[in-house]
Amino acid sequence: MTTPDLSAASATPAEQERLLRERLQRSGYLADADLATTVWLASALQRPLLLEGDAGVGKTALATALAQSQKANLVRLQCFEGLDLSQAAYEWNYGRQLMAIRMSESDKDGAGRVRESDVFSRDYLLERPLLRAISQSGPCVLLIDEIDRADEAFEAFLLEVLAEYQITVPEIGTIRATHIPQVILTSNGTRELSDALRRRCLYHYLDYPTLAREIAIVKSALPEADTRLVEDAVQFVQRLRREDLAKIPGIAETLDWVRALFQLRHSHLPEDMSAVLGTLGCLLKTREDRFVMGPERLRQLVEGRRTVGVAENTNEQAKVAA
């Protein structure tokens, strides 16, 4: 049975949104209804989507899964302080230009003489992520990752790309997208983004998943792991996130921890706290956090899970079912 096309005129918006969620799930990403709606609207309106949230909640993973689900090329621009035009959009291939000029000068009869317009043409342009994305002839997902790490000056340049899906190269003019890419911007909130950037995007805040949803995510990613182990581990991580930690473990850390416990052949969370301590490097990533989580505090977290975990899990499952 073939999957209906999301762009099919016969499909209603609700059906297209449902199909999007199903495709994301087949790509390993479990999106809730609100997120799926926002992603679908961003595609339908051809608007960039700004995802904000703590590190590790699945912002980058969404772009990857979206590209996989649509069989689209994923073009990623990793932002950092000092990111400039030559690294993000395009750069002239100066070495090739110089070679062409020297070869032209060595041509005695002048038949192969190159003009300035020849070396400043598209053939001598090196495509960086932004230009590569708008130059795609087919489906493309452009991931602008951690935009909050880039400078405000870079945001100003980015506005043209996000608003018009085009890049202006002074030497050759404006290059417009022939196939509009789906743009995902992510931000960890390390600095405030400009109003101009926010106005050009649809917005969604991605929070840590609920207990039931995180269990479903881990089960989907690690179907071979024992169900009790997954439930025990996720409940423990959910309580760990409420602690005063310098670096709160994200979904990726949960997956790493369950994988580690599974590799150690545990079918449930170990009773022996020393066995848990030996695997905390999967969850806790700073010296301070590792120091405060000693055997006694870990035991308290585990015991708290055992007393109220079943009721809490039932409530979460009921919320998701509703």
Side-chain angles (χ1 to χ4, degrees):
M1 178 178 178
T2 59
T3 302
D5 188 356
L6 287 176
S7 61
S10 59
T12 66
E15 290 171 340
Q16 294 180 38
E17 179 191 323
R18 177 181 57 80
L19 289 171
L20 174 62
R21 291 184 68 180
E22 291 175 356
R23 288 181 174 180
L24 287 174
Q25 185 170 351
R26 286 197 294 271
S27 299
Y29 194 96
L30 275 66
D32 59 28
D34 289 344
L35 177 58
T37 299
T38 307
V39 172
W40 179 80
L41 283 173
S43 177
L45 300 175
Q46 294 186 337
R47 296 282 298 279
L49 172 59
L50 173 60
L51 291 175
E52 279 194 317
D54 292 340
V57 296
K59 302 185 297 297
T60 302
L62 173 62
T64 303
L66 187 61
Q68 292 176 353
S69 69
Q70 297 179 350
K71 294 181 173 58
N73 291 328
L74 176 65
V75 178
R76 177 173 180 172
L77 172 62
Q78 178 62 53
C79 298
F80 53 88
E81 186 177 354
L83 178 66
D84 60 21
L85 186 66
S86 65
Q87 297 163 315
Y90 68 88
E91 184 177 13
W92 288 108
N93 191 336
Y94 298 113
R96 189 179 174 195
Q97 287 174 321
L98 182 59
M99 183 181 297
I101 293 171
R102 287 180 174 174
M103 290 178 65
S104 171
E105 291 174 345
S106 64
D107 188 359
K108 296 180 180 180
D109 59 11
R113 188 65 57 90
V114 298
R115 297 167 298 178
E116 181 180 349
S117 59
D118 294 330
V119 295
F120 283 101
S121 64
R122 188 69 183 269
D123 293 337
Y124 293 89
L125 205 58
L126 295 173
E127 294 182 351
R128 301 309 184 201
L130 296 180
L131 181 57
R132 189 181 311 130
I134 69 170
S135 300
Q136 297 289 315
S137 59
C140 174
V141 175
L142 171 60
L143 170 61
I144 303 176
D145 212 8
E146 297 183 319
I147 182 60
D148 52 319
R149 294 185 179 275
D151 302 323
E152 293 182 13
F154 176 72
E155 278 190 41
F157 164 76
L158 197 58
L159 298 181
E160 180 187 19
V161 180
L162 299 182
E164 306 294 338
Y165 295 102
Q166 65 182 31
I167 293 176
T168 299
V169 181
E171 294 83 354
I172 62 177
T174 300
I175 301 174
R176 294 179 175 83
T178 55
H179 194 286
I180 303 298
Q182 187 156 4
V183 183
I184 304 290
L185 299 95
T186 72
S187 171
N188 296 335
T190 58
R191 72 169 176 86
E192 184 59 37
L193 303 177
S194 68
D195 291 340
L197 178 68
R198 290 182 179 275
R199 283 198 304 269
R200 284 162 173 78
C201 304
L202 300 190
Y203 177 83
H204 186 85
Y205 184 84
L206 201 56
D207 206 347
Y208 292 104
T210 62
L211 177 62
R213 187 166 299 281
E214 190 164 12
I215 288 174
I217 291 171
V218 177
K219 283 183 177 179
S220 176
L222 302 170
E224 67 276 15
D226 190 277
T227 298
R228 183 182 171 188
L229 172 64
V230 172
E231 293 177 350
D232 284 357
V234 173
Q235 289 172 16
F236 179 87
V237 174
Q238 291 265 328
R239 281 179 167 72
L240 190 62
R241 290 190 183 124
R242 300 172 193 164
E243 300 295 303
D244 186 18
L245 300 176
K247 173 67 174 67
I248 298 175
I251 301 172
E253 282 74 26
T254 304
L255 290 169
D256 284 344
W257 192 45
V258 176
R259 286 191 184 99
L261 294 171
F262 178 73
Q263 288 294 323
L264 292 171
R265 303 185 184 280
H266 292 298
S267 60
H268 56 84
L269 200 60
E271 301 281 345
D272 183 3
M273 288 301 101
S274 63
V276 177
L277 283 170
T279 62
L280 283 186
C282 298
L283 294 174
L284 304 178
K285 302 302 178 70
T286 70
R287 181 182 180 185
E288 294 78 6
D289 291 345
R290 181 63 183 81
F291 178 77
V292 298
M293 285 297 148
E296 184 57 32
R297 185 65 194 120
L298 290 177
R299 187 175 299 280
Q300 292 172 359
L301 290 175
V302 173
E303 290 174 352
R305 170 189 59 76
R306 287 173 182 155
T307 56
V308 299
V310 174
E312 188 174 89
N313 187 30
T314 302
N315 291 337
E316 293 289 352
Q317 294 284 1
K319 289 179 183 178
V320 171

